[in-house]
Structure formats: structure tokens, C-alpha cells
Amino acid sequence: MIVEQRILAYHRYMEEQIEKLEHGDSVCDVERLKQEHLTQIGFFQHERLIHLIVTVLFALLEALSVMIVLISGEVFSVLLPFAVLVLLLPYIRHYYILENEVQYMYRQYDRLNRCHAGSSTAEKEQFFGEK
């Protein structure tokens, strides 16, 4: 949960900074902000990769434990897939949050580039596909 809280707090911080830049209220160094954002994206990408590996391993363990139940037919072996599933579901949720937040951070970086580039509205729409 600590990583989840950290990424959500960083999301809010960066959103505030970008809003200020887009409205012309900020006098911060955009290059420094972009570099900081790239560094944070790198940290969260690494976290996302680790959680993807762990989630896939737990999913494989779940599939294996279900196969064991089907092959053995013992009542006691039903507890194993249930126990693995209890662990797997929070990993899936956490990975989902990490994936979506990192994708959002990419869009934030694009917005930072638009603020910094000062290109025309037509160029922005053509490159980014949005207004």
C-alpha cells in the first residue's frame, strides 16, 4: 500500500504542477520538472515490472494448484487454490493501479512537453490527437 499511496500522491503533485504551467501561473524550471518526472516514471516502471512478475507467478501457482485439486480429488487440497487466490487478488489489484498510473504519467509527460515546446495548437492536435 505504501507504493500505491506514493504513486497517487505523486500523481496529484504533478497534476498541480502541470495545471499551473498550462494556466501560466508557474515560474518553475520546466526542464527540471520534466527530468524529475522521467526519474519517477523509471522508478514506477521498475515497480510495475516486479509486480507483473510476481502476479504472473502467483497466477501460474493458482493454475497449478487447481490442476492438483482436479487430479488428486482430495478435499484437503481444495484449500491450496483458495489460499493462493486470496494472495493473487491483491496482487492483481495492485498491478492494475500501477499500470494505469504509469500510463497516466506518460500522458502527463506529454502535457509537460506541450507546455515547454510552446508549439501551435494545430501542431499539438496533430501530434497528440487532442486539444
Side-chain angles (χ1 to χ4, degrees):
M1 284 303 210
I2 293 174
V3 172
E4 181 180 332
Q5 292 168 351
R6 183 170 178 264
I7 198 168
L8 293 174
Y10 182 75
H11 172 117
R12 287 187 299 272
Y13 162 76
M14 189 54 66
E15 198 59 36
E16 291 171 4
Q17 296 301 314
I18 294 171
E19 289 288 325
K20 288 178 185 177
L21 281 171
E22 288 176 337
H23 294 9
D25 299 338
S26 179
V27 291
C28 73
D29 182 9
V30 180
E31 278 301 319
R32 183 197 58 77
L33 191 62
K34 284 173 51 178
Q35 190 58 48
E36 174 190 339
H37 197 54
L38 285 176
T39 301
Q40 292 299 320
I41 287 172
F43 291 155
F44 291 122
Q45 282 175 332
H46 181 265
E47 185 76 20
R48 181 178 66 171
L49 176 63
I50 298 303
H51 279 279
L52 174 63
I53 292 168
V54 171
T55 302
V56 167
L57 288 175
F58 267 94
L60 290 173
L61 184 60
E62 176 68 15
L64 182 63
S65 63
V66 167
M67 287 192 306
I68 289 172
V69 167
L70 294 175
I71 292 171
S72 72
E74 292 183 30
V75 177
F76 180 73
S77 63
V78 174
L79 295 177
L80 180 61
F82 180 73
V84 174
L85 185 64
V86 166
L87 295 172
L88 178 62
L89 292 176
Y91 272 112
I92 290 172
R93 179 190 170 278
H94 187 68
Y95 180 75
Y96 176 80
I97 290 168
L98 282 171
E99 179 67 30
N100 285 329
E101 288 298 320
V102 169
Q103 293 294 323
Y104 190 79
M105 289 172 79
Y106 296 156
R107 290 191 298 275
Q108 286 178 324
Y109 184 76
D110 290 341
R111 287 171 59 200
L112 274 173
N113 278 332
R114 280 181 279 177
C115 289
H116 187 253
S119 60
S120 71
T121 305
E123 290 177 53
K124 291 177 189 176
E125 289 175 11
Q126 180 181 11
F127 182 73
F128 294 103
E130 56 188 57
K131 295 181 180 179

